[in-house]
Amino acid sequence: KAGVTQTPRYLIKTRGQQVTLSCSPISGHRSVSWYQQTPGQGLQFLFEYFSETQRNKGNFPGRFSGRQFSNSRSEMNVSTLELGDSALYLCASSREGGYNEQFFGPGTRLTVL
Amino acid sequence: GNSVTQMEGPVTLSEEAFLTINCTYTATGYPSLFWYVQYPGEGLQLLLKATKADDKGSNKGFEATYRKETTSFHLEKGSVQVSDSAVYFCALSDQNYGGATNKLIFGTGTLLAVQP
């Protein structure tokens, strides 16, 4: 069974630009979550989508948004990029329901210059 | 709110040494507990999990027991290898949310370096 895939793997942007990251979950998984990983803040939860609906959200500004499609693939968007948005963005998928283990993709490394 | 506290790293060991990485948690209810491992340049891989008190999760020689009385989930391995060098994260399922969620709360991670 294929794992979670994320594209692109690396991105370089400049301040003020916007970026879209993509995630394809494991086949059959309908829950997709996004995390930001930085050396200073560690792993922080961004949001979770289930059946095309956001069902949980972390404490990030409105510049961070996401969506999920009917095939469970998900995208997250960051608008008006700031230097502090430089991070590894990890996508994870899970089975239905709650409190299940999450399976992570390799991440997208975003660098904002 | 729920939180996870891990021992500070880095932890440096010689090959075949015994490993313990401490993890304690604060949570309401009965969260599931997880250990994830991250190798350089990669995402997180689930190492093991436990879903209720006194459960022991195990995988690849690693073990951790869910201790509700001490709110702990310490990771152990009897004999580490160079290939075990990685960052290890303890995590719990977020039971505070008002509905079903798969959100995880992570500790800060512990870097393990195993020397030959």
Side-chain angles (χ1 to χ4, degrees):
Chain A
K1 193 186 249 189
V4 177
T5 58
Q6 292 187 244
T7 56
R9 292 293 310 277
Y10 302 92
L11 266 178
I12 299 175
K13 294 286 187 179
T14 56
R15 279 181 300 173
Q17 289 186 308
Q18 75 165 20
V19 67
T20 299
L21 313 181
S22 181
C23 171
S24 292
I26 291 171
S27 177
H29 285 189
R30 295 168 61 194
S31 164
V32 174
S33 298
W34 290 88
Y35 294 83
Q36 181 195 65
Q37 185 177 24
T38 60
Q41 300 298 317
L43 280 153
Q44 294 188 287
F45 172 77
L46 281 155
F47 26 65
E48 177 188 13
Y49 286 86
F50 180 77
S51 293
E52 302 178 66
T53 301
Q54 186 182 88
R55 72 174 181 181
N56 202 350
K57 187 177 187 304
N59 295 323
F60 278 82
R63 301 185 295 106
F64 292 81
S65 63
R67 60 177 176 169
Q68 186 181 34
F69 302 95
S70 58
N71 61 358
S72 295
R73 190 176 69 84
S74 177
E75 290 180 346
M76 67 163 282
N77 185 78
V78 188
S79 62
T80 319
L81 284 166
E82 301 176 0
L83 295 179
D85 297 333
S86 295
L88 181 67
Y89 290 88
L90 293 164
C91 169
S93 74
S94 303
R95 300 192 312 269
E96 294 187 37
Y99 319 127
N100 297 305
E101 64 265 36
Q102 297 202 307
F103 296 88
F104 284 80
T108 295
R109 172 73 62 183
L110 172 65
T111 302
V112 182
L113 303 176
Chain B
N2 293 350
S3 65
V4 176
T5 302
Q6 278 184 247
M7 65 187 288
E8 293 282 334
V11 173
T12 303
L13 296 173
S14 298
E15 208 165 23
E16 299 184 4
F18 185 86
L19 168 70
T20 300
I21 299 178
N22 291 337
C23 170
T24 57
Y25 67 90
T26 300
T28 54
Y30 300 91
S32 294
L33 301 174
F34 307 89
W35 276 100
Y36 282 85
V37 59
Q38 186 176 35
Y39 298 100
E42 299 184 11
L44 276 68
Q45 298 178 24
L46 178 65
L47 185 58
L48 53 83
K49 68 174 184 178
T51 58
K52 61 183 187 296
D54 300 326
D55 263 3
K56 178 186 281 189
S58 61
N59 186 27
K60 299 180 182 179
F62 291 90
E63 293 183 338
T65 301
Y66 190 144
R67 302 283 189 201
K68 188 155 181 64
E69 64 276 13
T70 55
T71 61
S72 65
F73 192 54
H74 304 322
L75 182 68
E76 296 182 335
K77 187 176 185 183
S79 176
V80 294
Q81 306 300 312
V82 172
S83 57
D84 293 327
S85 298
V87 179
Y88 292 80
F89 292 91
C90 184
L92 61 78
S93 57
D94 183 12
Q95 309 285 74
N96 267 350
Y97 185 62
T101 180
N102 290 307
K103 172 190 173 184
L104 294 175
I105 296 172
F106 286 90
T108 53
T110 302
L111 173 62
L112 170 65
V114 180
Q115 299 176 338

